Amino acid sequence: MNQYITGSMIKALREKQGLTQNQLSEKLCVSDKTISKWETGKGYPDIVFLEPLAKVLGISMTELFMGEQITNANVSANMQKVKFYVCPVCGNVIYSTGQAVINCHGLLLQPQEAEPCDDCHAVLIEKSEDEYFVQIEHEMTKSHYISFIAGIYSDKVEFVKQYPEMNAQCRLKIAGLKQILFYCNRDGLFKKEIQIIY
């Protein structure tokens, strides 16, 4: 069933909370027959029940709408697993260090898949004392540009916003830098693994 929530999910989450159908019905002020209908797919919760249902089941509203529970397996917040999400409507950029459900302008955003740099998206890196001067060889017009450059470190992400009609460049501290990611508004996310420059 392709609704905003599945009956099997309601049942599984109810059982995970250690609730009977009757107990859940009491918390939501509905009959246990209503809960049974939801769980068997013979009916769906009315919109007024969504927020209280999510709260009782211990999940977010977004998870409820998606019909699946999101669990973060990346509990150690490994920066090498950072994910970037870019809204195609407004260009908003969000990043997470684990699995996330990101919505912007009513759209469910998918994490960008980083590709290795190519000839059209070359990265120039120069060492300057304790920093790298990073420059992306790319046009920077209002319709085709680099949106951001990000340095991925062992313990942080350094995010540098870029703007059309300016040079795509930034300075990133050398210590701990593992990878450089940058986003082209037409071609997507690119990555450059860092080899220490002496």
PDB file of all heavy atoms in Angstrom, residues 34-73:
ATOM      1  N   THR A  34     -10.813   0.976  15.382  1.00  0.00           N
ATOM      2  CA  THR A  34     -10.166   1.948  14.483  1.00  0.00           C
ATOM      3  C   THR A  34      -8.692   1.591  14.312  1.00  0.00           C
ATOM      4  O   THR A  34      -8.165   1.586  13.201  1.00  0.00           O
ATOM      5  CB  THR A  34     -10.314   3.381  15.032  1.00  0.00           C
ATOM      6  OG1 THR A  34     -11.703   3.698  15.122  1.00  0.00           O
ATOM      7  CG2 THR A  34      -9.618   4.388  14.139  1.00  0.00           C
ATOM      8  N   ILE A  35      -8.036   1.273  15.408  1.00  0.00           N
ATOM      9  CA  ILE A  35      -6.617   0.880  15.345  1.00  0.00           C
ATOM     10  C   ILE A  35      -6.467  -0.371  14.497  1.00  0.00           C
ATOM     11  O   ILE A  35      -5.567  -0.478  13.663  1.00  0.00           O
ATOM     12  CB  ILE A  35      -6.042   0.638  16.762  1.00  0.00           C
ATOM     13  CG1 ILE A  35      -6.188   1.883  17.638  1.00  0.00           C
ATOM     14  CG2 ILE A  35      -4.589   0.188  16.680  1.00  0.00           C
ATOM     15  CD1 ILE A  35      -5.452   3.109  17.171  1.00  0.00           C
ATOM     16  N   SER A  36      -7.373  -1.330  14.675  1.00  0.00           N
ATOM     17  CA  SER A  36      -7.347  -2.567  13.897  1.00  0.00           C
ATOM     18  C   SER A  36      -7.490  -2.272  12.409  1.00  0.00           C
ATOM     19  O   SER A  36      -6.778  -2.847  11.583  1.00  0.00           O
ATOM     20  CB  SER A  36      -8.450  -3.504  14.366  1.00  0.00           C
ATOM     21  OG  SER A  36      -8.451  -4.681  13.584  1.00  0.00           O
ATOM     22  N   LYS A  37      -8.387  -1.349  12.048  1.00  0.00           N
ATOM     23  CA  LYS A  37      -8.564  -0.975  10.639  1.00  0.00           C
ATOM     24  C   LYS A  37      -7.293  -0.366  10.072  1.00  0.00           C
ATOM     25  O   LYS A  37      -6.891  -0.653   8.954  1.00  0.00           O
ATOM     26  CB  LYS A  37      -9.727   0.016  10.493  1.00  0.00           C
ATOM     27  CG  LYS A  37     -11.088  -0.607  10.563  1.00  0.00           C
ATOM     28  CD  LYS A  37     -12.161   0.443  10.326  1.00  0.00           C
ATOM     29  CE  LYS A  37     -13.544  -0.164  10.446  1.00  0.00           C
ATOM     30  NZ  LYS A  37     -14.613   0.838  10.253  1.00  0.00           N
ATOM     31  N   TRP A  38      -6.641   0.508  10.860  1.00  0.00           N
ATOM     32  CA  TRP A  38      -5.389   1.122  10.389  1.00  0.00           C
ATOM     33  C   TRP A  38      -4.338   0.053  10.145  1.00  0.00           C
ATOM     34  O   TRP A  38      -3.649   0.068   9.134  1.00  0.00           O
ATOM     35  CB  TRP A  38      -4.866   2.108  11.425  1.00  0.00           C
ATOM     36  CG  TRP A  38      -5.708   3.333  11.648  1.00  0.00           C
ATOM     37  CD1 TRP A  38      -6.790   3.746  10.919  1.00  0.00           C
ATOM     38  CD2 TRP A  38      -5.539   4.294  12.686  1.00  0.00           C
ATOM     39  NE1 TRP A  38      -7.296   4.902  11.437  1.00  0.00           N
ATOM     40  CE2 TRP A  38      -6.545   5.268  12.537  1.00  0.00           C
ATOM     41  CE3 TRP A  38      -4.640   4.439  13.740  1.00  0.00           C
ATOM     42  CZ2 TRP A  38      -6.669   6.373  13.376  1.00  0.00           C
ATOM     43  CZ3 TRP A  38      -4.755   5.527  14.581  1.00  0.00           C
ATOM     44  CH2 TRP A  38      -5.761   6.485  14.394  1.00  0.00           C
ATOM     45  N   GLU A  39      -4.217  -0.873  11.091  1.00  0.00           N
ATOM     46  CA  GLU A  39      -3.157  -1.876  11.013  1.00  0.00           C
ATOM     47  C   GLU A  39      -3.391  -2.904   9.901  1.00  0.00           C
ATOM     48  O   GLU A  39      -2.447  -3.486   9.390  1.00  0.00           O
ATOM     49  CB  GLU A  39      -2.983  -2.576  12.363  1.00  0.00           C
ATOM     50  CG  GLU A  39      -2.408  -1.655  13.423  1.00  0.00           C
ATOM     51  CD  GLU A  39      -2.106  -2.354  14.740  1.00  0.00           C
ATOM     52  OE1 GLU A  39      -2.381  -3.567  14.861  1.00  0.00           O
ATOM     53  OE2 GLU A  39      -1.588  -1.680  15.652  1.00  0.00           O
ATOM     54  N   THR A  40      -4.637  -3.137   9.535  1.00  0.00           N
ATOM     55  CA  THR A  40      -4.930  -4.099   8.465  1.00  0.00           C
ATOM     56  C   THR A  40      -5.070  -3.427   7.103  1.00  0.00           C
ATOM     57  O   THR A  40      -5.324  -4.099   6.106  1.00  0.00           O
ATOM     58  CB  THR A  40      -6.222  -4.875   8.779  1.00  0.00           C
ATOM     59  OG1 THR A  40      -7.297  -3.947   8.955  1.00  0.00           O
ATOM     60  CG2 THR A  40      -6.048  -5.730  10.020  1.00  0.00           C
ATOM     61  N   GLY A  41      -4.919  -2.107   7.073  1.00  0.00           N
ATOM     62  CA  GLY A  41      -4.996  -1.393   5.796  1.00  0.00           C
ATOM     63  C   GLY A  41      -6.409  -1.167   5.304  1.00  0.00           C
ATOM     64  O   GLY A  41      -6.619  -0.800   4.154  1.00  0.00           O
ATOM     65  N   LYS A  42      -7.397  -1.352   6.175  1.00  0.00           N
ATOM     66  CA  LYS A  42      -8.796  -1.146   5.786  1.00  0.00           C
ATOM     67  C   LYS A  42      -9.235   0.296   6.021  1.00  0.00           C
ATOM     68  O   LYS A  42     -10.348   0.677   5.710  1.00  0.00           O
ATOM     69  CB  LYS A  42      -9.702  -2.110   6.558  1.00  0.00           C
ATOM     70  CG  LYS A  42      -9.448  -3.554   6.179  1.00  0.00           C
ATOM     71  CD  LYS A  42     -10.285  -4.499   7.005  1.00  0.00           C
ATOM     72  CE  LYS A  42      -9.963  -5.941   6.627  1.00  0.00           C
ATOM     73  NZ  LYS A  42     -10.596  -6.906   7.528  1.00  0.00           N
ATOM     74  N   GLY A  43      -8.346   1.082   6.565  1.00  0.00           N
ATOM     75  CA  GLY A  43      -8.594   2.505   6.811  1.00  0.00           C
ATOM     76  C   GLY A  43      -7.281   3.172   7.161  1.00  0.00           C
ATOM     77  O   GLY A  43      -6.293   2.487   7.459  1.00  0.00           O
ATOM     78  N   TYR A  44      -7.255   4.489   7.106  1.00  0.00           N
ATOM     79  CA  TYR A  44      -6.027   5.226   7.387  1.00  0.00           C
ATOM     80  C   TYR A  44      -6.317   6.334   8.389  1.00  0.00           C
ATOM     81  O   TYR A  44      -7.420   6.883   8.418  1.00  0.00           O
ATOM     82  CB  TYR A  44      -5.440   5.807   6.101  1.00  0.00           C
ATOM     83  CG  TYR A  44      -5.135   4.726   5.105  1.00  0.00           C
ATOM     84  CD1 TYR A  44      -6.004   4.464   4.054  1.00  0.00           C
ATOM     85  CD2 TYR A  44      -4.003   3.947   5.248  1.00  0.00           C
ATOM     86  CE1 TYR A  44      -5.737   3.449   3.162  1.00  0.00           C
ATOM     87  CE2 TYR A  44      -3.732   2.920   4.358  1.00  0.00           C
ATOM     88  CZ  TYR A  44      -4.605   2.684   3.316  1.00  0.00           C
ATOM     89  OH  TYR A  44      -4.343   1.668   2.439  1.00  0.00           O
ATOM     90  N   PRO A  45      -5.344   6.695   9.201  1.00  0.00           N
ATOM     91  CA  PRO A  45      -5.570   7.744  10.196  1.00  0.00           C
ATOM     92  C   PRO A  45      -5.928   9.074   9.524  1.00  0.00           C
ATOM     93  O   PRO A  45      -5.314   9.466   8.537  1.00  0.00           O
ATOM     94  CB  PRO A  45      -4.221   7.859  10.914  1.00  0.00           C
ATOM     95  CG  PRO A  45      -3.500   6.597  10.610  1.00  0.00           C
ATOM     96  CD  PRO A  45      -3.999   6.128   9.288  1.00  0.00           C
ATOM     97  N   ASP A  46      -6.889   9.762  10.132  1.00  0.00           N
ATOM     98  CA  ASP A  46      -7.245  11.094   9.690  1.00  0.00           C
ATOM     99  C   ASP A  46      -6.093  12.034  10.034  1.00  0.00           C
ATOM    100  O   ASP A  46      -5.316  11.770  10.959  1.00  0.00           O
ATOM    101  CB  ASP A  46      -8.530  11.540  10.400  1.00  0.00           C
ATOM    102  CG  ASP A  46      -9.057  12.840   9.852  1.00  0.00           C
ATOM    103  OD1 ASP A  46      -9.823  12.803   8.875  1.00  0.00           O
ATOM    104  OD2 ASP A  46      -8.677  13.884  10.395  1.00  0.00           O
ATOM    105  N   ILE A  47      -6.021  13.130   9.295  1.00  0.00           N
ATOM    106  CA  ILE A  47      -4.909  14.069   9.475  1.00  0.00           C
ATOM    107  C   ILE A  47      -4.798  14.588  10.910  1.00  0.00           C
ATOM    108  O   ILE A  47      -3.696  14.849  11.388  1.00  0.00           O
ATOM    109  CB  ILE A  47      -5.006  15.229   8.459  1.00  0.00           C
ATOM    110  CG1 ILE A  47      -3.695  15.996   8.408  1.00  0.00           C
ATOM    111  CG2 ILE A  47      -6.189  16.135   8.763  1.00  0.00           C
ATOM    112  CD1 ILE A  47      -3.554  16.907   7.218  1.00  0.00           C
ATOM    113  N   VAL A  48      -5.911  14.703  11.626  1.00  0.00           N
ATOM    114  CA  VAL A  48      -5.862  15.212  13.002  1.00  0.00           C
ATOM    115  C   VAL A  48      -5.144  14.249  13.948  1.00  0.00           C
ATOM    116  O   VAL A  48      -4.720  14.649  15.029  1.00  0.00           O
ATOM    117  CB  VAL A  48      -7.281  15.534  13.549  1.00  0.00           C
ATOM    118  CG1 VAL A  48      -7.948  16.612  12.752  1.00  0.00           C
ATOM    119  CG2 VAL A  48      -8.139  14.285  13.631  1.00  0.00           C
ATOM    120  N   PHE A  49      -4.999  12.966  13.539  1.00  0.00           N
ATOM    121  CA  PHE A  49      -4.348  11.983  14.394  1.00  0.00           C
ATOM    122  C   PHE A  49      -2.856  11.826  14.111  1.00  0.00           C
ATOM    123  O   PHE A  49      -2.162  11.122  14.843  1.00  0.00           O
ATOM    124  CB  PHE A  49      -5.032  10.612  14.248  1.00  0.00           C
ATOM    125  CG  PHE A  49      -6.431  10.584  14.777  1.00  0.00           C
ATOM    126  CD1 PHE A  49      -7.497  10.479  13.915  1.00  0.00           C
ATOM    127  CD2 PHE A  49      -6.675  10.674  16.136  1.00  0.00           C
ATOM    128  CE1 PHE A  49      -8.794  10.464  14.392  1.00  0.00           C
ATOM    129  CE2 PHE A  49      -7.962  10.658  16.636  1.00  0.00           C
ATOM    130  CZ  PHE A  49      -9.032  10.559  15.752  1.00  0.00           C
ATOM    131  N   LEU A  50      -2.352  12.471  13.057  1.00  0.00           N
ATOM    132  CA  LEU A  50      -0.966  12.230  12.655  1.00  0.00           C
ATOM    133  C   LEU A  50       0.044  12.639  13.725  1.00  0.00           C
ATOM    134  O   LEU A  50       0.933  11.863  14.073  1.00  0.00           O
ATOM    135  CB  LEU A  50      -0.661  12.932  11.335  1.00  0.00           C
ATOM    136  CG  LEU A  50      -1.467  12.432  10.137  1.00  0.00           C
ATOM    137  CD1 LEU A  50      -1.028  13.150   8.871  1.00  0.00           C
ATOM    138  CD2 LEU A  50      -1.327  10.930   9.966  1.00  0.00           C
ATOM    139  N   GLU A  51      -0.081  13.861  14.228  1.00  0.00           N
ATOM    140  CA  GLU A  51       0.893  14.310  15.224  1.00  0.00           C
ATOM    141  C   GLU A  51       0.817  13.493  16.509  1.00  0.00           C
ATOM    142  O   GLU A  51       1.848  13.015  17.005  1.00  0.00           O
ATOM    143  CB  GLU A  51       0.712  15.804  15.509  1.00  0.00           C
ATOM    144  CG  GLU A  51       1.824  16.363  16.382  1.00  0.00           C
ATOM    145  CD  GLU A  51       1.736  17.874  16.538  1.00  0.00           C
ATOM    146  OE1 GLU A  51       0.935  18.522  15.841  1.00  0.00           O
ATOM    147  OE2 GLU A  51       2.485  18.388  17.381  1.00  0.00           O
ATOM    148  N   PRO A  52      -0.383  13.279  17.080  1.00  0.00           N
ATOM    149  CA  PRO A  52      -0.432  12.446  18.296  1.00  0.00           C
ATOM    150  C   PRO A  52       0.008  11.005  18.052  1.00  0.00           C
ATOM    151  O   PRO A  52       0.653  10.389  18.904  1.00  0.00           O
ATOM    152  CB  PRO A  52      -1.893  12.503  18.732  1.00  0.00           C
ATOM    153  CG  PRO A  52      -2.623  13.384  17.792  1.00  0.00           C
ATOM    154  CD  PRO A  52      -1.673  13.876  16.763  1.00  0.00           C
ATOM    155  N   LEU A  53      -0.312  10.457  16.868  1.00  0.00           N
ATOM    156  CA  LEU A  53       0.097   9.087  16.551  1.00  0.00           C
ATOM    157  C   LEU A  53       1.620   8.982  16.487  1.00  0.00           C
ATOM    158  O   LEU A  53       2.216   8.067  17.050  1.00  0.00           O
ATOM    159  CB  LEU A  53      -0.526   8.638  15.229  1.00  0.00           C
ATOM    160  CG  LEU A  53      -0.187   7.219  14.757  1.00  0.00           C
ATOM    161  CD1 LEU A  53      -0.646   6.183  15.777  1.00  0.00           C
ATOM    162  CD2 LEU A  53      -0.807   6.946  13.392  1.00  0.00           C
ATOM    163  N   ALA A  54       2.251   9.947  15.812  1.00  0.00           N
ATOM    164  CA  ALA A  54       3.717   9.944  15.722  1.00  0.00           C
ATOM    165  C   ALA A  54       4.339  10.024  17.112  1.00  0.00           C
ATOM    166  O   ALA A  54       5.297   9.314  17.421  1.00  0.00           O
ATOM    167  CB  ALA A  54       4.190  11.102  14.843  1.00  0.00           C
ATOM    168  N   LYS A  55       3.792  10.895  17.940  1.00  0.00           N
ATOM    169  CA  LYS A  55       4.321  11.061  19.296  1.00  0.00           C
ATOM    170  C   LYS A  55       4.210   9.770  20.099  1.00  0.00           C
ATOM    171  O   LYS A  55       5.170   9.343  20.750  1.00  0.00           O
ATOM    172  CB  LYS A  55       3.588  12.206  19.988  1.00  0.00           C
ATOM    173  CG  LYS A  55       4.169  12.590  21.320  1.00  0.00           C
ATOM    174  CD  LYS A  55       3.485  13.816  21.881  1.00  0.00           C
ATOM    175  CE  LYS A  55       4.106  14.210  23.205  1.00  0.00           C
ATOM    176  NZ  LYS A  55       3.467  15.392  23.787  1.00  0.00           N
ATOM    177  N   VAL A  56       3.036   9.135  20.060  1.00  0.00           N
ATOM    178  CA  VAL A  56       2.829   7.888  20.816  1.00  0.00           C
ATOM    179  C   VAL A  56       3.731   6.772  20.291  1.00  0.00           C
ATOM    180  O   VAL A  56       4.269   5.974  21.056  1.00  0.00           O
ATOM    181  CB  VAL A  56       1.346   7.455  20.766  1.00  0.00           C
ATOM    182  CG1 VAL A  56       1.162   6.073  21.359  1.00  0.00           C
ATOM    183  CG2 VAL A  56       0.468   8.454  21.502  1.00  0.00           C
ATOM    184  N   LEU A  57       3.930   6.719  18.970  1.00  0.00           N
ATOM    185  CA  LEU A  57       4.743   5.659  18.368  1.00  0.00           C
ATOM    186  C   LEU A  57       6.248   5.946  18.457  1.00  0.00           C
ATOM    187  O   LEU A  57       7.068   5.108  18.101  1.00  0.00           O
ATOM    188  CB  LEU A  57       4.338   5.439  16.912  1.00  0.00           C
ATOM    189  CG  LEU A  57       2.912   4.919  16.696  1.00  0.00           C
ATOM    190  CD1 LEU A  57       2.610   4.803  15.209  1.00  0.00           C
ATOM    191  CD2 LEU A  57       2.697   3.585  17.396  1.00  0.00           C
ATOM    192  N   GLY A  58       6.612   7.166  18.886  1.00  0.00           N
ATOM    193  CA  GLY A  58       8.024   7.495  19.078  1.00  0.00           C
ATOM    194  C   GLY A  58       8.790   7.742  17.792  1.00  0.00           C
ATOM    195  O   GLY A  58       9.976   7.427  17.702  1.00  0.00           O
ATOM    196  N   ILE A  59       8.084   8.310  16.781  1.00  0.00           N
ATOM    197  CA  ILE A  59       8.747   8.631  15.518  1.00  0.00           C
ATOM    198  C   ILE A  59       8.412  10.068  15.129  1.00  0.00           C
ATOM    199  O   ILE A  59       7.550  10.701  15.732  1.00  0.00           O
ATOM    200  CB  ILE A  59       8.344   7.669  14.376  1.00  0.00           C
ATOM    201  CG1 ILE A  59       6.830   7.741  14.107  1.00  0.00           C
ATOM    202  CG2 ILE A  59       8.769   6.245  14.684  1.00  0.00           C
ATOM    203  CD1 ILE A  59       6.389   6.951  12.897  1.00  0.00           C
ATOM    204  N   SER A  60       9.099  10.573  14.110  1.00  0.00           N
ATOM    205  CA  SER A  60       8.847  11.931  13.636  1.00  0.00           C
ATOM    206  C   SER A  60       7.683  11.945  12.650  1.00  0.00           C
ATOM    207  O   SER A  60       7.306  10.913  12.090  1.00  0.00           O
ATOM    208  CB  SER A  60      10.101  12.488  12.952  1.00  0.00           C
ATOM    209  OG  SER A  60      10.322  11.812  11.728  1.00  0.00           O
ATOM    210  N   MET A  61       7.151  13.127  12.411  1.00  0.00           N
ATOM    211  CA  MET A  61       6.082  13.286  11.424  1.00  0.00           C
ATOM    212  C   MET A  61       6.583  12.896  10.035  1.00  0.00           C
ATOM    213  O   MET A  61       5.854  12.297   9.244  1.00  0.00           O
ATOM    214  CB  MET A  61       5.586  14.735  11.406  1.00  0.00           C
ATOM    215  CG  MET A  61       4.776  15.106  12.631  1.00  0.00           C
ATOM    216  SD  MET A  61       3.139  14.393  12.587  1.00  0.00           S
ATOM    217  CE  MET A  61       2.393  15.362  11.295  1.00  0.00           C
ATOM    218  N   THR A  62       7.829  13.230   9.724  1.00  0.00           N
ATOM    219  CA  THR A  62       8.394  12.893   8.412  1.00  0.00           C
ATOM    220  C   THR A  62       8.434  11.389   8.216  1.00  0.00           C
ATOM    221  O   THR A  62       8.072  10.880   7.162  1.00  0.00           O
ATOM    222  CB  THR A  62       9.811  13.485   8.257  1.00  0.00           C
ATOM    223  OG1 THR A  62       9.734  14.898   8.430  1.00  0.00           O
ATOM    224  CG2 THR A  62      10.395  13.170   6.898  1.00  0.00           C
ATOM    225  N   GLU A  63       8.867  10.656   9.240  1.00  0.00           N
ATOM    226  CA  GLU A  63       8.902   9.200   9.157  1.00  0.00           C
ATOM    227  C   GLU A  63       7.494   8.641   8.963  1.00  0.00           C
ATOM    228  O   GLU A  63       7.295   7.695   8.205  1.00  0.00           O
ATOM    229  CB  GLU A  63       9.534   8.616  10.416  1.00  0.00           C
ATOM    230  CG  GLU A  63      11.019   8.919  10.540  1.00  0.00           C
ATOM    231  CD  GLU A  63      11.568   8.565  11.903  1.00  0.00           C
ATOM    232  OE1 GLU A  63      11.000   9.007  12.912  1.00  0.00           O
ATOM    233  OE2 GLU A  63      12.578   7.839  11.954  1.00  0.00           O
ATOM    234  N   LEU A  64       6.537   9.255   9.639  1.00  0.00           N
ATOM    235  CA  LEU A  64       5.152   8.817   9.513  1.00  0.00           C
ATOM    236  C   LEU A  64       4.670   8.994   8.073  1.00  0.00           C
ATOM    237  O   LEU A  64       4.058   8.114   7.497  1.00  0.00           O
ATOM    238  CB  LEU A  64       4.268   9.604  10.483  1.00  0.00           C
ATOM    239  CG  LEU A  64       2.863   9.080  10.714  1.00  0.00           C
ATOM    240  CD1 LEU A  64       2.888   7.684  11.312  1.00  0.00           C
ATOM    241  CD2 LEU A  64       2.104  10.028  11.633  1.00  0.00           C
ATOM    242  N   PHE A  65       4.974  10.135   7.472  1.00  0.00           N
ATOM    243  CA  PHE A  65       4.562  10.393   6.091  1.00  0.00           C
ATOM    244  C   PHE A  65       5.273   9.473   5.106  1.00  0.00           C
ATOM    245  O   PHE A  65       4.720   9.079   4.099  1.00  0.00           O
ATOM    246  CB  PHE A  65       4.812  11.853   5.701  1.00  0.00           C
ATOM    247  CG  PHE A  65       3.713  12.767   6.125  1.00  0.00           C
ATOM    248  CD1 PHE A  65       3.880  13.609   7.209  1.00  0.00           C
ATOM    249  CD2 PHE A  65       2.502  12.783   5.458  1.00  0.00           C
ATOM    250  CE1 PHE A  65       2.871  14.451   7.618  1.00  0.00           C
ATOM    251  CE2 PHE A  65       1.477  13.618   5.859  1.00  0.00           C
ATOM    252  CZ  PHE A  65       1.652  14.457   6.940  1.00  0.00           C
ATOM    253  N   MET A  66       6.530   9.147   5.388  1.00  0.00           N
ATOM    254  CA  MET A  66       7.287   8.271   4.490  1.00  0.00           C
ATOM    255  C   MET A  66       6.870   6.816   4.624  1.00  0.00           C
ATOM    256  O   MET A  66       7.082   6.015   3.729  1.00  0.00           O
ATOM    257  CB  MET A  66       8.791   8.382   4.762  1.00  0.00           C
ATOM    258  CG  MET A  66       9.387   9.701   4.319  1.00  0.00           C
ATOM    259  SD  MET A  66      11.162   9.705   4.565  1.00  0.00           S
ATOM    260  CE  MET A  66      11.650   8.384   3.475  1.00  0.00           C
ATOM    261  N   GLY A  67       6.310   6.469   5.770  1.00  0.00           N
ATOM    262  CA  GLY A  67       5.902   5.092   5.992  1.00  0.00           C
ATOM    263  C   GLY A  67       7.039   4.178   6.375  1.00  0.00           C
ATOM    264  O   GLY A  67       6.954   2.967   6.249  1.00  0.00           O
ATOM    265  N   GLU A  68       8.141   4.757   6.852  1.00  0.00           N
ATOM    266  CA  GLU A  68       9.245   3.927   7.321  1.00  0.00           C
ATOM    267  C   GLU A  68      10.005   4.655   8.404  1.00  0.00           C
ATOM    268  O   GLU A  68      10.085   5.884   8.406  1.00  0.00           O
ATOM    269  CB  GLU A  68      10.193   3.545   6.173  1.00  0.00           C
ATOM    270  CG  GLU A  68      10.885   4.728   5.526  1.00  0.00           C
ATOM    271  CD  GLU A  68      11.836   4.312   4.425  1.00  0.00           C
ATOM    272  OE1 GLU A  68      12.815   3.623   4.722  1.00  0.00           O
ATOM    273  OE2 GLU A  68      11.581   4.688   3.289  1.00  0.00           O
ATOM    274  N   GLN A  69      10.570   3.903   9.320  1.00  0.00           N
ATOM    275  CA  GLN A  69      11.330   4.495  10.403  1.00  0.00           C
ATOM    276  C   GLN A  69      12.770   4.654   9.966  1.00  0.00           C
ATOM    277  O   GLN A  69      13.354   3.775   9.343  1.00  0.00           O
ATOM    278  CB  GLN A  69      11.251   3.624  11.654  1.00  0.00           C
ATOM    279  CG  GLN A  69      11.854   4.296  12.866  1.00  0.00           C
ATOM    280  CD  GLN A  69      11.595   3.514  14.131  1.00  0.00           C
ATOM    281  OE1 GLN A  69      11.239   2.341  14.095  1.00  0.00           O
ATOM    282  NE2 GLN A  69      11.792   4.156  15.263  1.00  0.00           N
ATOM    283  N   ILE A  70      13.337   5.817  10.261  1.00  0.00           N
ATOM    284  CA  ILE A  70      14.728   6.089   9.910  1.00  0.00           C
ATOM    285  C   ILE A  70      15.576   5.849  11.149  1.00  0.00           C
ATOM    286  O   ILE A  70      15.305   6.392  12.217  1.00  0.00           O
ATOM    287  CB  ILE A  70      14.912   7.555   9.455  1.00  0.00           C
ATOM    288  CG1 ILE A  70      13.980   7.869   8.272  1.00  0.00           C
ATOM    289  CG2 ILE A  70      16.352   7.845   9.101  1.00  0.00           C
ATOM    290  CD1 ILE A  70      14.186   7.014   7.055  1.00  0.00           C
ATOM    291  N   THR A  71      16.591   5.015  11.008  1.00  0.00           N
ATOM    292  CA  THR A  71      17.515   4.793  12.111  1.00  0.00           C
ATOM    293  C   THR A  71      18.895   5.240  11.679  1.00  0.00           C
ATOM    294  O   THR A  71      19.287   5.075  10.524  1.00  0.00           O
ATOM    295  CB  THR A  71      17.567   3.302  12.506  1.00  0.00           C
ATOM    296  OG1 THR A  71      17.889   2.531  11.342  1.00  0.00           O
ATOM    297  CG2 THR A  71      16.241   2.830  13.051  1.00  0.00           C
ATOM    298  N   ASN A  72      19.613   5.831  12.593  1.00  0.00           N
ATOM    299  CA  ASN A  72      20.936   6.339  12.286  1.00  0.00           C
ATOM    300  C   ASN A  72      21.979   5.308  12.695  1.00  0.00           C
ATOM    301  O   ASN A  72      22.309   5.184  13.866  1.00  0.00           O
ATOM    302  CB  ASN A  72      21.178   7.674  13.004  1.00  0.00           C
ATOM    303  CG  ASN A  72      22.483   8.307  12.616  1.00  0.00           C
ATOM    304  OD1 ASN A  72      23.225   7.764  11.792  1.00  0.00           O
ATOM    305  ND2 ASN A  72      22.780   9.448  13.187  1.00  0.00           N
ATOM    306  N   ALA A  73      22.488   4.578  11.697  1.00  0.00           N
ATOM    307  CA  ALA A  73      23.517   3.577  11.973  1.00  0.00           C
ATOM    308  C   ALA A  73      24.869   4.227  12.179  1.00  0.00           C
ATOM    309  O   ALA A  73      25.805   3.618  12.648  1.00  0.00           O
ATOM    310  CB  ALA A  73      23.598   2.580  10.817  1.00  0.00           C
TER     311      ALA A  73
END
